[in-house]
């Protein structure tokens, strides 16, 4: 059985992110390591908030986006990144 190979994915945003250098319409999503994933789950997983903090941290880890950009994402774009 062949193991699939992860390739970085480019997600095209419905609503561009506004930055000082102009608008960003695409976000590169990169794989995070298993160790990073486990660490984020251990630190942020919580049924109290339906894992919202965990998902946010996973998006940050996979995209490198700062909080200001994540806050500016519209829901369909945020859901695509999750």
């Amino acid at each position: 059985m062949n193991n699939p190979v992860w390739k970085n994915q480019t997600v095209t945003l419905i609503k561009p992110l506004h930055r000082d250098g102009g608008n960003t319409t695409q976000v590169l999503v990169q794989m995070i390591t298993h160790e990073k994933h486990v660490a984020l789950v251990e630190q942020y997983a919580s049924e109290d908030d339906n894992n919202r903090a965990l998902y946010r941290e996973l998006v940050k880890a996979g995209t490198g986006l700062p909080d200001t950009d994540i806050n500016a994402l519209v829901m369909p774009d945020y859901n695509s990144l999750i």
Side-chain angles (χ1 to χ4, degrees):
M1 181 160 111
N2 291 337
N3 291 331
V5 176
W6 170 266
K7 294 181 182 178
N8 294 338
Q9 302 290 316
T10 301
V11 175
T12 300
L13 302 174
I14 293 170
K15 181 181 176 195
L17 294 172
H18 301 289
R19 295 183 168 165
D20 292 338
N23 293 339
T24 300
T25 59
Q26 295 185 326
V27 174
L28 180 65
V29 180
Q30 301 177 347
M31 182 170 53
I32 61 173
T33 64
H34 173 73
E35 291 80 14
K36 178 73 172 178
H37 183 266
V38 168
L40 290 173
V41 169
E42 288 175 354
Q43 185 173 358
Y44 293 101
S46 172
E47 291 183 22
D48 293 338
D49 72 348
N50 293 321
N51 290 315
R52 286 188 179 107
L54 172 61
Y55 295 139
R56 181 181 187 83
E57 292 303 316
L58 289 169
V59 168
K60 285 170 57 174
T63 63
L65 291 174
D67 285 324
T68 53
D69 284 347
I70 291 175
N71 290 339
L73 291 169
V74 294
M75 193 55 65
D77 290 334
Y78 183 74
N79 287 340
S80 293
L81 295 173
I82 289 175

